[in-house]
Amino acid sequence: MDKGLPFLLCVITTMLLLGESSRTGEKNGPKLLPTSKSGGPEEALPTLTVTTILEDPYVMVRSAELEGYCIDLLKALAAMLRFRYRVKVVGDGQYGAVAPSGNWTGMIGEVLRREADIAVAPLTVTSAREEVVSFTTPFLQTGIGILLRKETLSQEMSFFHFLAPFSKETWTGLLFAYVLTCFCLFLVARLSPCEWNEPKNEENHFTFLNSLWFGAGALALQGVTPRPKALSVRVVAAVWWLFTIALLAAYIANFTALLSSGSEQLPIQTFEDLVKQRKLEFGTLEGSSTFYFFKNSKNPIHQMIYEYMDKRRDHVLVKTYQEAVQRVMESNYAFIGESISQDLAAARHCNLIRAPEVIGARGFGIATTQASPWTKQLSVAVLKLRESGDLDYLRNKWWESSCLRGSRERWSPLQPQALGGLFLTLAVGLALGVIAAVAELSNKSRRAAGHAKKSCCAVFTEEICTRLHIKKNTRQSQETSGRANA
């Protein structure tokens, strides 16, 4: 018993030292991110070596640990397919291109040399890469866009820039509403007895020209004469006043948004505009798929872009995405790259904006070795994550903007549909004014018919003819018919 105790202590001490040595080796080795904690012993789970590249927000270093969109995606895939993984950052900092020696660089090269089992990064699926490695179903869709700084895009405003807040259709509708309202004002003022009691002896102040002046004064929020006295005329005037107040509020708000957004001052809308201008230099990531897209494209505009970048490659091509964003912010430089990454830059830096045109639709996929059993499993897992909405959740999580919403939304002229309720309110008000004027004239005609012992309809017709100056024409026709009978 006494001899066995020291032997037992020796065995326990040796096991403790080996365990400590194993843990120390893990800390000093590649970055290990244990993720799959589902049922079953961890030793039985396969371990994959994952190569990636540091790029915000896909992979970032925070508190000596890696985090980002691709890390969250990797955790979800590992939990679904039950594997462990080790993450290593690509040694040369490249995505993957063919070097002059014929070998592949970057993450593609590491997968080919079996230094990594898979590459999880914003790695674009291209035909050249597909020939040497296999890609899963894309987990993000993107394209090629132009990243610009707002201050470099300013240009002189057009002479009629003040008309920009409303579309042409809206301005046409407003002109029609103004003329119709003034005509209703003129008509109601002539029909209403309270506004014009004795047509034979009085002068009606609401002529058509005065009605136009009254409507224009309301548009400028100015009180003008003549002042309405009849209820029907006041109904029309009040509805027009409400219409103009709401209209001016919408115009001022949209004009302010126009000036702050600067979307009408964006001279570079397309890649053709970028080629034609001489103020901005432009380039892309060196050795990226974007560069080779323009190199292989048959489009004349794309060929001009490639020739420009190739001749000035030492000056316009950048090494990293962070360098590209910094250069756009600090100089007259336009960066051509992945549109989804540019959207992130515009969301993080409020003085940046992406041009509207996006070309070369493409996707980000996970690269594996050819004939790897993981390719199909990862593709199916990506599809399941997309169908469950997890990919959309990750997209919203890591692309959250620090800018005010209004400052990044694209501005557009106000369309007539946006003012549909306002136009409808004006039409109802005009109809009520006309009905009120007819009612006032009917009441007077009824009283006059009782005194003159005439038909109410006859008196009503005479009143309308008198107020609308139709009586003179009626007399002339009667005289003409009398002469013909003689």
Side-chain angles (χ1 to χ4, degrees):
M1 183 70 180
D2 294 337
K3 294 180 179 180
L5 184 59
F7 177 75
L8 182 61
L9 291 175
C10 255
V11 171
I12 295 175
T13 303
T14 303
M15 292 177 65
L16 291 174
L17 289 175
L18 289 174
E20 183 67 25
S21 176
S22 176
R23 286 192 293 271
T24 304
E26 288 181 0
K27 291 180 181 178
N28 295 334
K31 297 176 182 177
L32 175 63
L33 298 177
T35 57
S36 180
K37 295 185 179 180
S38 54
E42 289 190 3
E43 291 77 5
L45 298 178
T47 300
L48 300 181
T49 302
V50 181
T51 180
T52 188
I53 191 169
L54 294 178
E55 182 175 332
D56 185 14
Y58 303 99
V59 180
M60 300 170 289
V61 179
R62 299 280 175 85
S63 302
E65 293 185 358
L66 297 179
E67 65 175 29
Y69 179 93
C70 289
I71 300 301
D72 287 351
L73 174 63
L74 196 53
K75 290 179 180 179
L77 294 173
M80 184 178 297
L81 300 178
R82 295 175 54 79
F83 65 84
R84 301 175 69 223
Y85 59 85
R86 297 174 183 271
V87 177
K88 61 185 293 291
V89 178
V90 61
D92 58 4
Q94 299 293 321
Y95 289 87
V98 181
S101 61
N103 298 322
W104 280 84
T105 63
M107 292 178 283
I108 300 296
E110 292 190 352
V111 173
L112 287 174
R113 294 189 297 269
R114 308 284 178 167
E115 297 175 9
D117 297 305
I118 61 174
V120 182
L123 193 59
T124 306
V125 180
T126 64
S127 59
R129 292 171 178 172
E130 189 75 51
E131 290 180 355
V132 294
V133 297
S134 296
F135 280 97
T136 64
T137 300
F139 57 85
L140 268 180
Q141 297 294 335
T142 182
I144 300 177
I146 309 171
L147 185 66
L148 307 151
R149 192 175 80 251
K150 292 181 180 179
E151 289 79 359
T152 62
L153 304 174
S154 59
Q155 64 177 10
E156 294 183 1
M157 296 184 180
S158 61
F159 190 72
F160 295 99
H161 195 65
F162 67 94
L163 298 176
F166 292 160
S167 64
K168 295 180 180 178
E169 295 79 6
T170 304
W171 282 116
T172 303
L174 294 179
L175 179 61
F176 177 76
Y178 167 70
V179 174
L180 179 62
T181 301
C182 293
F183 176 77
C184 288
L185 198 64
F186 162 75
L187 179 64
V188 168
R190 286 194 167 273
L191 293 179
S192 176
C194 302
E195 192 70 42
W196 196 27
N197 193 27
E198 294 293 337
K200 296 180 180 179
N201 303 324
E202 296 180 15
E203 180 182 358
N204 191 298
H205 298 289
F206 273 98
T207 62
F208 188 68
L209 291 178
N210 286 346
S211 299
L212 291 174
W213 176 246
F214 184 90
L219 281 173
L221 300 181
Q222 300 294 321
V224 295
T225 55
R227 301 183 183 277
K229 296 180 290 183
L231 175 63
S232 55
V233 183
R234 290 180 178 179
V235 168
V236 175
V239 171
W240 178 245
W241 289 338
L242 294 175
F243 179 85
T244 55
I245 291 175
L247 180 69
L248 290 175
Y251 177 86
I252 293 173
N254 214 32
F255 193 62
T256 303
L258 165 63
L259 295 179
S260 61
S261 67
S263 59
E264 284 297 304
Q265 307 171 37
L266 188 63
I268 299 177
Q269 300 280 343
T270 64
F271 284 87
E272 185 177 358
D273 297 334
L274 183 65
V275 172
K276 290 180 178 179
Q277 59 82 39
R278 293 293 180 267
K279 183 178 180 181
L280 299 178
E281 296 179 323
F282 53 88
T284 186
L285 289 174
E286 183 177 2
S288 64
S289 60
T290 301
F291 180 81
Y292 289 100
F293 169 84
F294 288 100
K295 179 180 179 180
N296 300 325
S297 176
K298 302 301 181 183
N299 187 302
I301 300 298
H302 299 170
Q303 280 295 310
M304 293 174 64
I305 293 176
Y306 167 72
E307 292 173 3
Y308 174 90
M309 295 190 297
D310 189 50
K311 291 179 181 178
R312 302 167 177 82
R313 61 168 54 238
D314 295 334
H315 184 59
V316 299
L317 297 184
V318 293
K319 301 293 184 181
T320 64
Y321 176 77
Q322 290 76 13
E323 179 188 348
V325 173
Q326 195 69 23
R327 188 167 176 179
V328 172
M329 295 177 62
E330 295 177 354
S331 63
N332 292 338
Y333 180 78
F335 173 62
I336 302 174
E338 302 291 347
S339 60
I340 193 169
S341 300
Q342 294 175 349
D343 290 338
L344 175 69
R348 299 285 176 83
H349 307 282
C350 301
N351 63 331
L352 300 182
I353 188 173
R354 179 175 61 81
E357 185 181 32
V358 176
I359 61 175
R362 54 182 63 187
F364 292 155
I366 300 174
T368 65
T369 57
Q370 288 186 337
S372 171
W374 289 101
T375 306
K376 184 175 181 180
Q377 298 181 47
L378 290 170
S379 294
V380 174
V382 168
L383 289 174
K384 289 181 178 179
L385 292 175
R386 180 180 298 167
E387 293 169 357
S388 63
D390 291 340
L391 293 184
D392 291 334
Y393 167 76
L394 293 179
R395 173 74 163 77
N396 295 332
K397 174 184 176 181
W398 292 104
W399 268 258
E400 183 179 3
S401 175
S402 59
C403 304
L404 294 176
R405 183 177 180 183
S407 63
R408 71 174 187 267
E409 285 183 346
R410 282 191 55 77
W411 174 91
S412 60
L414 202 61
Q415 299 297 325
Q417 294 82 356
L419 300 176
L422 197 59
F423 282 105
L424 179 61
T425 303
L426 177 64
V428 172
L430 296 181
L432 290 177
V434 174
I435 293 173
V438 172
E440 292 171 353
L441 185 59
S442 298
N443 290 334
K444 182 185 178 183
S445 301
R446 191 180 298 110
R447 291 193 299 268
H451 291 297
K453 296 180 180 181
K454 293 182 179 180
S455 169
C456 182
C457 293
V459 175
F460 182 77
T461 304
E462 290 177 1
E463 287 286 345
I464 289 181
C465 293
T466 303
R467 295 174 185 279
L468 299 181
H469 299 290
I470 304 177
K471 189 173 182 180
K472 181 182 294 185
N473 297 335
T474 305
R475 287 180 177 178
Q476 290 177 354
S477 62
Q478 290 176 351
E479 291 176 359
T480 303
S481 61
R483 291 172 183 174
N485 293 333

